Amino acid sequence: MIHVARRMQRLGTETAFEILAKARALEAKGKEIIHLEIGEPDFDTPANIKTAAKRALDDGFTHYGPAAGLPQARKAIADYISRTRSITVNPENVVVTPGAKPIMFFVILACIDEGDEVIYPNPGFPIYESAIDFVGGTPVPLPLREENEFRVDIDDVKKLITPRTRMIILNSPQNPTGGILMEEDIRAIAEIALENNLLVLSDEIYDRIMYDAHKPFSIASVPGMQDRTIILDGFSKTYAMTGWRLGYGVMPVELANLVTKLQINSTSCTSSFSQMAAIEALQGPREDVERMISQFNERRDLIVNGFNAIEGFRCHKPHGAFYVFPNISGTGKTSRQLADILLNEAGVACLSGTAFGKYGEGYLRFSYANSLENIEKALERIAKVLKGQPAVPETVK
Ligand SMILES: Cc1ncc(COP(=O)(O)O)c(C=O)c1O
């Protein structure tokens, strides 16, 4: 028997990967599954970015690079963040990581002591709670409510602050709800952070994917906040680069040095040719990104209207990311029960709202990063299963 360290009991997981495995197992048995569970664009990485990576391979970017990132990549990221957030960021503020996820883990490891409280959105990306728990911190869930369009209620934040509160995590646009924070919400949270000497981990990975003329606003842009904010961002979602493992954090230099030290102790550095492609992503043409976002927009309308026409479902219209989080309490099923039924009987893979925390009960998360045709088919199948009719043609069962 392997002795397992006690801390492993405190480590959570991301259910999306487990459901994907379950769905693949059903596919292996011949069942046709529509994948609406995984949070990644279905588009291919834009050709100019792939070309830049190929060129970088030919140019010899196949070796270890500096732990914090290649200087030219850190510079391109610093310029991009300075431009898009209206602040001054230097390359020394940037740490490039294999995906944006390590920034969460590294920053929490570097800043949170045992017993420190961290306020985080719930429902929210499950790794926040997992990482806080793992380092011995106290996760303090901040409820996001449907009736408030899944925005943060500022009074809730105020009520959750204690002398032990060290950090607040924000995520806008948000996974899993697609909700966004308005500039007034962000300014109010900044005021609380300044008053209570809090760090803010601002997960802005979906900030380019917004609809209805909404514009992103970073808490780092509020005067006085840049010194206490860690911006988490990356290439996975905006540029359809999930498999490249390419993300970064922007933070005060003192913390960037500590995060770099954690990188030296774990991954060493981010792949060098990926970082050369990152420069092209930030500086090259943006037509592909814009096309992708306009297609997401069309799919959002289809899925929101489709769910609102299904009895037992009620679906808000999110302003960002590529997720919807319909309320399914009218079906009389729990989130887990319904997610299982939809996978097994409708061949539609989605996630239970509870995969994103306790306040996710009564909801399901669907990613609409899939074709209009597949979304339409999924909606039809779900409607049939809920009416007790067979949904998947016998031939593919
Ligand atoms: C809110 C949020 N932050 C961060 C990440 C991680 O991104 P990456 O794949 O770049 O590690 C995800 C991925 O699903 C996410 O949804």
Side-chain angles (χ1 to χ4, degrees), residues 380-394:
E380 274 167 27
R381 289 190 190 177
I382 294 169
K384 277 190 181 162
V385 162
L386 288 175
K387 283 187 200 147
Q389 299 166 359
V392 186
E394 286 305 325

Side-chain angles (χ1 to χ4, degrees), residues 238-313:
T238 310
Y239 305 96
M241 293 174 75
T242 49
W244 294 63
R245 308 313 300 132
L246 198 56
Y248 57 88
V250 176
M251 61 201 89
V253 174
E254 185 190 354
L255 182 56
N257 292 338
L258 297 175
V259 167
T260 302
K261 206 166 168 185
L262 286 165
Q263 178 125 284
I264 293 170
N265 275 273
S266 51
T267 68
S268 290
C269 63
T270 304
S271 136
S272 297
F273 59 89
S274 286
Q275 291 186 64
M276 293 308 286
I279 300 173
E280 172 62 22
L282 295 175
Q283 296 176 349
R286 303 195 70 78
E287 285 80 11
D288 284 332
V289 172
E290 275 154 26
R291 197 169 325 119
M292 206 163 73
I293 293 166
S294 100
Q295 292 196 29
F296 284 149
N297 195 352
E298 212 179 315
R299 296 162 178 191
R300 176 188 62 143
D301 290 348
L302 176 70
I303 201 162
V304 168
N305 294 338
F307 280 142
N308 280 324
I310 293 176
E311 214 179 305
F313 275 59

